[in-house]
Amino acid sequence: MLSFLNSVATGIAMPDLEHPDLSLETGFPDFSALVSHALTLLGRYNDDIRQGSFAPFQPMDAEALQSAAELGLPAGWDDLKLWDLCTQGVNANHPGYMADIPGGGLLLSALGDLLTSGVNRWPGLYPGAPGLLEIEKNLLLWMCSMFGMPEGAGGVFTSGGSLANFSAVHVARVNLLSEQTASRAVIYASDQCHHSVVKAARMAGFYDSHIVSLPTDALGRTDLQALRDQLATDVAADRVPFFMVASAGTTRTGAVDDLPAMRRLAVDYGCWLHVDAAWAGSFVMTERGRSAMAGIGEADSITIDPHKAFWTAWGSGALLVKQPATLKAAFDVDADYLPFADADELMLNPSVISPELSRNARGLQLWLPLKLAGEQAFVNCLNEKLDLAEWAAETLRPVPALSVPDWPLLGICCFALGSEADVAAANHLTQQLIDTVNEDGRVVISGAHLHGRLYARLAPLQFKTHKEHVATALALITQAVEQLTTEVATS
Amino acid sequence: MLSFLNSVATGIAMPDLEHPDLSLETGFPDFSALVSHALTLLGRYNDDIRQGSFAPFQPMDAEALQSAAELGLPAGWDDLKLWDLCTQGVNANHPGYMADIPGGGLLLSALGDLLTSGVNRWPGLYPGAPGLLEIEKNLLLWMCSMFGMPEGAGGVFTSGGSLANFSAVHVARVNLLSEQTASRAVIYASDQCHHSVVKAARMAGFYDSHIVSLPTDALGRTDLQALRDQLATDVAADRVPFFMVASAGTTRTGAVDDLPAMRRLAVDYGCWLHVDAAWAGSFVMTERGRSAMAGIGEADSITIDPHKAFWTAWGSGALLVKQPATLKAAFDVDADYLPFADADELMLNPSVISPELSRNARGLQLWLPLKLAGEQAFVNCLNEKLDLAEWAAETLRPVPALSVPDWPLLGICCFALGSEADVAAANHLTQQLIDTVNEDGRVVISGAHLHGRLYARLAPLQFKTHKEHVATALALITQAVEQLTTEVATS
């Protein structure tokens, strides 16, 4: 009755229905043992992460590469070379990592992923994972409330900010444009916007001819007069102002656009106002953050990444919107093979309001740390990061050779060497400063370009980063400044 | 020096830089204890999953709902109500779940997620997570080779099939259309294509006017003559044939389109050929699957979801492409704050070739089960699923009242009650059959519409599903058929 073509063809004994191959069904005792192995690895990693230094980037170990490539035959745990495969490369989780926007990596997030994937409930529609979706919904409402969005606001988790920004463009297009007006649509984004905004526009079917890159002021904020002029020009030319992106925390310097002014322009021109608060949005939990981002709750949509300054594991972004029905209009497609439990509870049915049908549940990553440590622990930690950036700026400001601009300081302190009179020489010197600091290996800082000038950028945003780590960085910076200025003076 | 506005405003004692609040930094011993709690939960779940029955869908427990909603104050593990929050709802991981496309849920996938999130390396560019990206690359090459794609083929992991299908449309547009031709582009998809294809086209900026829904033959395969006629009509009307979607395993009945014929038409008309093999693609590891999907390796792109018939945890899809450079053309955007280690190794830099910048690494979910159990364990398990579907069909075919169409049987067995002469009555009777079988609670089957007729659909695709589970389903089906036909005869 049953055909066993494979066994004939390959010569390998095939299972029959009475005696199936059960090797994929690891028993629970074995699984516990493997989890113990994994915990040993994570324990060593957790110790190293606080003690280790940043080695220069190394080529992967040959045995680890071989293990990564050989996929055919069963291997034992020790043959997997998991230590090398999991822990090589740049470590953005180290407390001394103050470059770019550091990673998070709360261990409780990893526990959330173990549980989520272990029970493997399908979180596309409510009947598949009601509890995990209630958790996602409540986290989204909590974030909407934090931003001061109006009653009725909602949102959906994505894998990160790029997909949240993309979703925002698509949602705005479906809700504001027709097939006839789309070709004349204009998207406004400053030259300090995250590159994923341009990527998002292209993915949503727009071309670079639809995207206006606006200049920014000395702080890196959208130039409002340029925006006003451009809007007037576009309307006069029969183009359709459609999507305006404000940054609440630019990637380079942490600048926050004038959100109320942009909101007024968006309303005047019938534009969708999207605020990209991917990394800095969580600072709205603090007084200083709320003050910097005043008016953010009036936006049509907001991107925030829990995997940035809520410190969950990678893979957690969110799009918040004033009107969740706009998400349904953009993403819902009928299919007779899908149930849809309760049309009124859009946030409990992510596949109806987002690009994804199948997805991993993303709530436990943030919910477990929030529930177990409490909201105030996050507020305290965020305030500490703001204090650290302010402390760094106030410590560096008296150093004569350094220029420390009075920028927003949402957790980022920028500084530069050299004179504005010779930008090329100044940038070269500042790059040398960055390199000298990073050579030491205990901390890593990065560079940020603004209007052609290179600044060194110290971002003590990792939750594990405390005063001693910033103190190390500041000592290295002042020492490097002394060395470099002496070299310049004597050369 | 430091401002403590928050402490004044809220009356809560704020940390100072000398004494930071460390409550987010759970020590490693505590983490191990929490993992033990989680393992206890998964152990109970793992026992229940094999013993339990399908209860009707219940409203969430009130205490669990409250726990999901209260996010402010720290709670203890037992207060979290994780059992209710994680395990309520439809259980697609149960061995008796033979409805729709069942979930996977290999525990080793969950172990992969624990490790991935625990080390939290950023897998957007090679320097961030070289080992985890080597693993992703090798898995992608392994899948390309499995499908018989040419040398040089590659791909990228996504969170699921919807994003893979979307990426394919965007990649094809960027590589085949100009801003001028895009408005005249035509997308060809059969009425049996997954709904995410329509969603993908809309997200990529196309309108329903660009999408042609092609009829299907008696087996649910794209009607080739209709496709040929449509292509000719479109070219004559100055439209631009652009994107053709073939299904390798339709969602409803597992039909596989005539891939070589569609390939020839795609080449003739300069169309991109995308094959959606999201759930059935992994059967290409078996002789029967290879035979059914002959020619699939010639496609321009293929969607496959490891979280379906490779049984990883949710959140794992992949887009494979003949030419990885087409991905870069579609997704790469320059940004001075991003490094790009090695432009020649596109698969080691997912953010350059996919919609995502930040993302969770997805390789370990599949790599751990594949390495620890070996490739042959997957082949054996897939063959068992094919055998089970064939066995179900051959067992049901002699039942006089049932119509069991001779369909592809890539792991799905369909059958219907009633006469084609009165479709409405037949569909009603078949729905009664499905409901009666599901009432028992030990197994769940679903329904599938094809050309107006409702079929009951038994899909023994879950890796834990063995002969005894299908035997239970078959006994319940034959018993229900007897009961329903007796009722009809005596009514």
Side-chain angles (χ1 to χ4, degrees):
Chain A
M1 185 175 70
L2 299 166
S3 61
F4 287 112
L5 283 172
N6 280 13
S7 58
V8 177
T10 63
I12 293 167
M14 295 297 300
D16 60 35
L17 289 185
E18 305 295 338
H19 306 95
D21 180 343
L22 300 179
S23 42
L24 290 181
E25 297 176 59
T26 311
F28 201 76
D30 294 330
F31 183 66
S32 298
L34 294 174
V35 169
S36 292
H37 288 316
L39 282 182
T40 304
L41 189 157
L42 291 179
R44 184 180 154 201
Y45 180 75
N46 206 51
D47 289 342
D48 278 21
I49 216 173
R50 284 177 168 75
Q51 293 161 13
S53 73
F54 291 97
F57 185 70
Q58 301 281 345
M60 284 292 295
D61 174 83
E63 278 187 53
L65 280 177
Q66 194 180 350
S67 169
E70 283 177 356
L71 302 174
L73 296 176
W77 183 265
D78 292 335
D79 303 323
L80 300 182
K81 306 289 167 202
L82 274 170
W83 175 259
D84 291 307
L85 290 170
C86 288
T87 70
Q88 286 211 13
V90 176
N91 187 354
N93 306 287
H94 190 288
Y97 189 89
M98 304 181 209
D100 315 316
I101 306 298
L106 288 168
L107 275 176
L108 292 177
S109 277
L111 181 67
D113 284 335
L114 172 67
L115 275 167
T116 303
S117 298
V119 300
N120 198 46
R121 292 300 169 123
W122 176 57
L125 292 172
Y126 193 62
L132 297 172
L133 290 170
E134 292 281 357
I135 284 171
E136 289 196 6
K137 180 189 84 170
N138 285 300
L139 289 168
L140 291 161
L141 291 176
W142 174 75
M143 291 190 278
C144 287
S145 151
M146 186 180 297
F147 281 116
M149 298 181 85
E151 198 72 25
V156 68
F157 278 95
T158 65
S159 66
S162 293
L163 280 178
N165 282 342
F166 163 68
S167 298
V169 179
H170 175 62
V171 169
R173 193 198 48 213
V174 169
N175 285 276
L176 293 188
L177 299 176
S178 68
E179 188 169 353
Q180 283 69 41
T181 55
S183 61
R184 291 182 286 124
V186 187
I187 294 169
Y188 304 87
S190 86
D191 58 26
Q192 294 300 304
C193 269
H194 193 257
H195 75 281
S196 64
V197 169
V198 171
K199 188 168 173 174
R202 290 179 187 167
M203 291 197 294
F206 293 101
Y207 291 86
D208 290 0
S209 58
H210 294 96
I211 307 169
V212 170
S213 178
L214 295 163
T216 44
D217 67 14
L219 298 182
R221 299 176 306 188
T222 300
D223 180 329
L224 290 174
Q225 192 53 50
L227 174 57
R228 272 186 214 104
D229 294 347
Q230 184 69 43
L231 284 162
T233 304
D234 287 335
V235 168
D238 200 29
R239 287 191 286 266
V240 181
F242 144 64
F243 191 78
M244 193 183 284
V245 185
S247 298
T250 58
T251 303
R252 293 184 184 86
T253 60
V256 179
D257 283 329
D258 184 339
L259 303 175
M262 289 180 71
R263 170 71 190 156
R264 282 190 297 273
L265 287 170
V267 169
D268 286 351
Y269 284 88
C271 240
W272 185 282
L273 177 66
H274 175 67
V275 181
D276 185 349
W279 75 261
S282 52
F283 283 108
V284 85
M285 291 183 85
T286 70
E287 285 286 327
R288 281 169 282 181
R290 266 194 297 283
S291 161
M293 292 182 245
I296 193 169
E298 296 298 313
D300 294 298
S301 57
I302 300 174
T303 288
I304 177 168
D305 276 3
H307 63 213
K308 295 197 181 100
F310 282 134
W311 306 298
T312 69
W314 292 114
S316 174
L319 179 68
L320 310 177
V321 292
K322 186 180 280 180
Q323 297 178 300
T326 57
L327 296 176
K328 184 174 192 295
F331 293 112
D332 192 19
V333 177
D334 272 345
D336 60 19
Y337 43 82
L338 289 178
F340 182 24
D342 183 347
D344 294 332
E345 282 277 21
L346 292 176
M347 268 178 287
L348 294 173
N349 292 282
S351 69
V352 173
I353 58 171
S354 84
E356 298 169 308
L357 175 65
S358 296
R359 62 198 282 276
N360 46 322
R362 296 172 178 129
L364 285 184
Q365 287 192 338
L366 175 58
W367 188 83
L368 277 181
L370 190 53
K371 289 286 284 190
L372 289 169
E375 194 174 322
Q376 192 61 36
F378 282 87
V379 175
N380 293 345
C381 193
L382 287 162
N383 269 310
E384 185 199 6
K385 304 316 150 196
L386 294 177
D387 291 343
L388 287 169
E390 289 184 18
W391 180 58
E394 298 192 23
T395 306
L396 294 178
R397 201 158 277 137
V399 178
L402 281 179
S403 153
V404 183
D406 188 18
W407 285 345
L409 290 175
L410 272 181
I412 297 179
C413 167
C414 290
F415 46 96
L417 271 173
S419 153
E420 282 189 51
D422 185 348
V423 170
N427 288 356
H428 179 70
L429 211 54
T430 301
Q431 186 62 55
Q432 282 185 292
L433 173 58
I434 297 166
D435 295 343
T436 308
V437 169
N438 291 348
E439 257 165 33
D440 174 84
R442 280 177 293 169
V443 304
V444 178
I445 61 173
S446 59
H449 286 274
L450 185 67
H451 305 148
R453 184 92 193 260
L454 174 67
Y455 295 89
R457 184 181 179 288
L458 183 152
L461 289 168
Q462 166 61 246
F463 71 93
K464 304 179 199 80
T465 301
H466 303 300
K467 189 182 179 187
E468 65 266 32
H469 309 108
V470 178
T472 302
L474 295 173
L476 289 167
I477 291 162
T478 47
Q479 191 183 317
V481 169
E482 195 167 334
Q483 180 194 323
L484 290 166
T485 49
T486 309
E487 282 171 18
V488 169
T490 58
S491 71
Chain B
M1 184 175 73
L2 298 166
S3 61
F4 287 113
L5 283 172
N6 280 14
S7 57
V8 177
T10 63
I12 293 166
M14 296 298 299
D16 60 35
L17 289 184
E18 306 296 336
H19 306 95
D21 180 345
L22 300 178
S23 42
L24 289 181
E25 295 178 59
T26 311
F28 201 77
D30 295 329
F31 182 66
S32 298
L34 293 174
V35 169
S36 292
H37 288 316
L39 282 182
T40 304
L41 189 156
L42 291 178
R44 183 179 154 202
Y45 180 75
N46 206 52
D47 289 344
D48 277 21
I49 218 172
R50 286 179 166 75
Q51 292 160 15
S53 73
F54 291 97
F57 185 68
Q58 299 282 345
M60 283 292 294
D61 174 81
E63 278 187 51
L65 280 177
Q66 194 181 348
S67 170
E70 283 176 356
L71 303 174
L73 298 175
W77 183 265
D78 293 335
D79 303 322
L80 301 182
K81 306 289 167 199
L82 274 170
W83 175 259
D84 290 308
L85 291 169
C86 287
T87 69
Q88 287 212 13
V90 176
N91 189 353
N93 306 287
H94 190 288
Y97 189 89
M98 304 180 208
D100 315 317
I101 306 299
L106 287 168
L107 275 175
L108 292 177
S109 277
L111 181 67
D113 285 334
L114 172 68
L115 276 167
T116 303
S117 299
V119 301
N120 198 44
R121 293 301 170 121
W122 176 56
L125 292 171
Y126 192 63
L132 296 173
L133 290 170
E134 292 281 358
I135 284 172
E136 289 195 6
K137 181 190 84 170
N138 285 301
L139 288 170
L140 291 161
L141 291 176
W142 174 74
M143 290 191 278
C144 288
S145 150
M146 187 180 297
F147 281 116
M149 297 180 86
E151 197 72 25
V156 68
F157 278 93
T158 65
S159 65
S162 293
L163 280 177
N165 283 341
F166 163 68
S167 299
V169 178
H170 175 63
V171 169
R173 195 201 43 216
V174 169
N175 285 277
L176 293 188
L177 298 176
S178 68
E179 187 170 354
Q180 284 67 43
T181 54
S183 61
R184 291 182 285 123
V186 187
I187 294 169
Y188 303 86
S190 85
D191 58 26
Q192 295 300 303
C193 268
H194 193 257
H195 75 281
S196 64
V197 169
V198 171
K199 188 169 174 173
R202 290 180 187 167
M203 292 196 294
F206 293 100
Y207 291 86
D208 291 1
S209 58
H210 295 96
I211 308 168
V212 170
S213 178
L214 296 162
T216 44
D217 68 13
L219 297 182
R221 299 175 306 190
T222 300
D223 181 327
L224 290 173
Q225 192 53 49
L227 174 57
R228 273 186 214 103
D229 294 347
Q230 184 69 43
L231 285 161
T233 304
D234 287 334
V235 168
D238 199 29
R239 287 190 289 265
V240 181
F242 145 63
F243 192 77
M244 192 183 286
V245 186
S247 299
T250 58
T251 304
R252 294 185 184 85
T253 60
V256 179
D257 283 330
D258 185 338
L259 302 174
M262 288 180 72
R263 171 72 190 154
R264 283 190 296 274
L265 286 170
V267 169
D268 286 350
Y269 284 88
C271 240
W272 186 281
L273 178 65
H274 176 66
V275 181
D276 186 348
W279 76 261
S282 52
F283 283 107
V284 85
M285 292 183 84
T286 70
E287 285 287 326
R288 282 169 281 181
R290 267 195 296 284
S291 161
M293 294 182 245
I296 192 167
E298 296 298 313
D300 294 297
S301 56
I302 301 173
T303 288
I304 177 169
D305 277 2
H307 63 211
K308 293 195 182 101
F310 282 133
W311 307 295
T312 70
W314 291 113
S316 174
L319 179 69
L320 309 177
V321 292
K322 185 180 281 180
Q323 296 178 301
T326 57
L327 296 177
K328 184 172 192 296
F331 293 111
D332 192 18
V333 177
D334 272 344
D336 60 19
Y337 43 82
L338 290 178
F340 182 23
D342 184 347
D344 294 334
E345 281 278 19
L346 291 177
M347 268 178 287
L348 294 173
N349 293 282
S351 69
V352 174
I353 58 170
S354 83
E356 298 169 307
L357 175 65
S358 296
R359 62 198 282 275
N360 47 322
R362 297 175 177 125
L364 285 184
Q365 288 192 337
L366 175 58
W367 188 81
L368 277 182
L370 190 54
K371 288 287 284 192
L372 289 169
E375 194 174 321
Q376 192 62 37
F378 282 86
V379 175
N380 293 346
C381 194
L382 287 162
N383 270 308
E384 185 199 7
K385 304 316 152 196
L386 295 176
D387 291 342
L388 286 171
E390 288 185 19
W391 180 57
E394 297 192 24
T395 306
L396 294 178
R397 201 158 277 137
V399 178
L402 282 177
S403 151
V404 184
D406 188 18
W407 285 346
L409 289 175
L410 271 181
I412 297 179
C413 166
C414 290
F415 46 95
L417 269 174
S419 152
E420 281 189 53
D422 184 350
V423 170
N427 287 359
H428 178 70
L429 210 54
T430 301
Q431 187 60 55
Q432 281 185 293
L433 172 60
I434 296 166
D435 295 342
T436 308
V437 169
N438 291 350
E439 258 165 33
D440 175 83
R442 282 178 291 169
V443 304
V444 177
I445 61 174
S446 58
H449 285 274
L450 186 67
H451 305 146
R453 184 92 194 258
L454 175 66
Y455 295 89
R457 183 181 179 288
L458 184 152
L461 289 168
Q462 165 63 246
F463 71 92
K464 304 180 198 79
T465 301
H466 302 301
K467 189 183 180 187
E468 64 266 32
H469 309 107
V470 178
T472 301
L474 295 174
L476 288 168
I477 291 162
T478 46
Q479 191 182 318
V481 168
E482 195 168 334
Q483 180 193 325
L484 289 166
T485 47
T486 308
E487 282 171 19
V488 169
T490 58
S491 69

